[in-house]
Amino acid sequence: MLKTPAYAAPSAKKPLTPFTIERREPAPHEVLIDILFCGVCHSDIHQARDEWGGSAFPMVPGHEIVGKVVAIGSEVKKWVVGDIVGVGCFIDSCRECGPCREGEEQYCEEGMTATYNGTERGSGRPTYGGYSTRITVDENYVLRIPDGMPLERTAPLLCAGITTYSPLRHFGVKAGDRVAVVGLGGLGHVGVKIARAMGAEVTVLSHTPGKREEALRLGADHFLATGDPQVFKENGSRFDFILDTVSARHDYNDYLGLLRHDGTMVLVGIPEPVALAAGSLVMQRRRLTGSLIGGIRETQEMLDFCAAHEVAAEVEVIPIQRINEAFDRVVSSDVRYRFVIDMDSLKES
Ligand code: NAP
Ligand code: ZN
Ligand code: ZN
């Protein structure tokens, strides 16, 4: 076993503090990855603060991992030492059910093995995430980072990138479609860039009026400040597709009214529930659905797409010692637009 420095939440109410975990030497089909950067996703906060219920502590969050392969198991075919790779939100799944066979392991019928706050298949040991200096992962659950990508700006693509790319692709968003992205945070800002790269006409809906200039700079064509209730009256039936990335409770009914006849709204944000009026869907046969990250194959496709279109996250790189401050700033929408931990800060401490 390899003693590995990490940061962990000891319980839901406590700040993250230094913690030591054990990683194993790679089994025949595993690789050992030296973690270079790890993004800070709002899901890390929801889980570290037990906002979804059922969190296991101590918890080492982090599922936007970019690193370098430093050792490989005897049977590994896909990777060699020195490869620059990514690890996203899951590190295993049953590999046999319908979704797994279709390459949509995130919907595994036995439950995907989450990168952290999960348990390893077989051993039942807790999984620990990317707020640590290394991780051991099965070779089939590792992504290739295309050459030349800026690594700290690529880490957030492993969750924010695939979570926004997958529904845009799945629901067939194409050039000229009028797409609204609700919430200009970690997911939202990457969603704007990807939708734009797909040729859509993109509108950002934000509760922070001050983000107008930045939304346009990031590639949005239009900006609507949702603090003004008139916005919902004046833009009825305007959009073909709405991608809702908001992390806090808000009224879906208002947003559904912005969809055209037969339009689709996809929830990717996971806030507390709100009541849904049947009429919001019935009146124009509008669709409300949700989407969870993406499978390994589609995540690779997303990385290659982002490399080809020069899409990467806007990031603020921090040492891990500033993680608790970063969590608070994410919750108050004060991040432009993703915190990324430089893992050298943990190796030195
Ligand atoms: P984030 O960076 O905090 O962005 C969320 C955005 O929501 C904020 O930037 C803000 O945008 C908006 N917002 C925040 N509070 C609000 C409020 N009170 N009223 C209205 N809007 C508010 O978070 P993230 O990392 O992008 O994650 C967003 C959500 O997606 C989280 O719930 C996360 O757990 C979830 N998630 C889901 C998946 C999936 O697979 N489905 C994957 C990753 C994350 P404005 O300032 O522009 O309004
Ligand atoms: Zn995430
Ligand atoms: Zn499965």
Side-chain angles (χ1 to χ4, degrees):
M1 285 293 186
L2 304 162
K3 283 212 176 310
T4 300
Y7 258 56
S11 70
K13 305 269 182 271
K14 297 243 173 72
L16 275 67
T17 49
F19 184 65
T20 302
I21 58 175
E22 291 190 333
R23 300 293 197 191
R24 42 170 193 278
E25 298 282 1
H29 284 286
E30 289 181 329
V31 298
L32 177 65
I33 299 165
D34 185 6
I35 300 176
L36 300 171
F37 294 103
C38 184
V40 178
C41 178
H42 205 119
S43 300
D44 299 349
I45 303 170
H46 288 310
Q47 291 177 90
R49 296 183 176 176
D50 201 14
E51 292 169 357
W52 294 339
S55 286
F57 297 98
M59 182 190 300
V60 177
H63 58 206
E64 293 184 336
I65 298 166
V66 165
K68 185 189 276 192
V69 175
V70 291
I72 61 171
S74 55
E75 304 288 326
V76 167
K77 299 276 184 301
K78 294 187 173 170
W79 311 104
V80 297
V81 168
D83 281 345
I84 299 294
V85 295
V87 178
C89 299
F90 57 92
I91 51 162
D92 205 354
S93 65
C94 87
R95 309 174 193 212
E96 285 171 4
C97 69
C100 280
R101 285 180 187 276
E102 288 160 20
E104 300 216 284
E105 303 90 350
Q106 75 277 27
Y107 301 121
C108 175
E109 288 169 4
E110 291 188 8
M112 64 179 188
T113 304
T115 302
Y116 68 87
N117 195 25
T119 48
E120 283 179 5
R121 299 182 67 77
S123 77
R125 285 160 43 104
T127 57
Y128 294 123
Y131 297 6
S132 60
T133 59
R134 55 191 165 199
I135 187 167
T136 312
V137 185
D138 184 287
E139 64 171 327
N140 294 305
Y141 292 78
V142 172
L143 288 309
R144 182 174 304 283
I145 305 299
D147 287 346
M149 290 187 92
L151 298 187
E152 73 281 14
R153 298 182 61 206
T154 299
L157 300 180
L158 274 304
C159 175
I162 185 57
T163 301
T164 51
Y165 180 87
S166 182
L168 288 163
R169 281 278 282 147
H170 181 78
F171 292 100
V173 168
K174 56 187 185 313
D177 282 0
R178 283 165 300 173
V179 169
V181 175
V182 189
L184 194 65
L187 266 56
H189 90 286
V190 175
V192 168
K193 292 186 180 202
I194 292 175
R196 199 70 185 82
M198 290 175 173
E201 179 185 322
V202 181
T203 302
V204 167
L205 276 74
S206 170
H207 86 307
T208 311
K211 290 183 180 174
R212 175 182 295 274
E213 296 308 317
E214 291 168 58
L216 301 179
R217 177 179 63 80
L218 292 168
D221 300 282
H222 315 282
F223 179 91
L224 298 173
T226 52
D228 175 3
Q230 277 300 109
V231 158
F232 293 98
K233 297 206 174 94
E234 289 168 2
N235 292 279
S237 303
R238 174 167 170 176
F239 300 108
D240 299 298
F241 185 87
I242 299 178
L243 183 66
D244 184 343
T245 76
V246 173
S247 55
R249 195 185 164 99
H250 59 296
D251 190 348
Y252 302 137
N253 302 288
D254 290 342
Y255 293 88
L256 284 164
L258 304 180
L259 276 182
R260 68 160 164 79
H261 166 64
D262 274 340
T264 302
M265 171 158 152
V266 179
L267 305 181
V268 290
I270 313 176
E272 291 163 23
V274 289
L276 182 66
S280 300
L281 304 176
V282 169
M283 296 314 286
Q284 290 294 330
R285 202 165 57 195
R286 295 169 170 127
R287 278 180 292 247
L288 177 64
T289 181
S291 185
L292 177 68
I293 44 175
I296 294 294
R297 188 183 60 221
E298 194 175 48
T299 304
Q300 190 63 59
E301 179 186 302
M302 175 278 306
L303 286 166
D304 296 342
F305 176 94
C306 288
H309 291 85
E310 296 186 354
V311 169
E314 309 286 305
V315 301
E316 188 174 331
V317 177
I318 55 164
I320 201 159
Q321 292 77 10
R322 283 180 52 206
I323 190 62
N324 294 300
E325 173 197 333
F327 271 23
D328 289 341
R329 284 184 54 198
V330 170
V331 172
S332 55
S333 304
D334 177 26
V335 50
R336 301 290 188 272
Y337 280 89
R338 199 56 140 189
F339 286 112
V340 173
I341 304 163
D342 181 347
M343 220 48 74
D344 274 349
S345 60
L346 189 52
K347 292 166 192 160
E348 288 155 7
S349 63

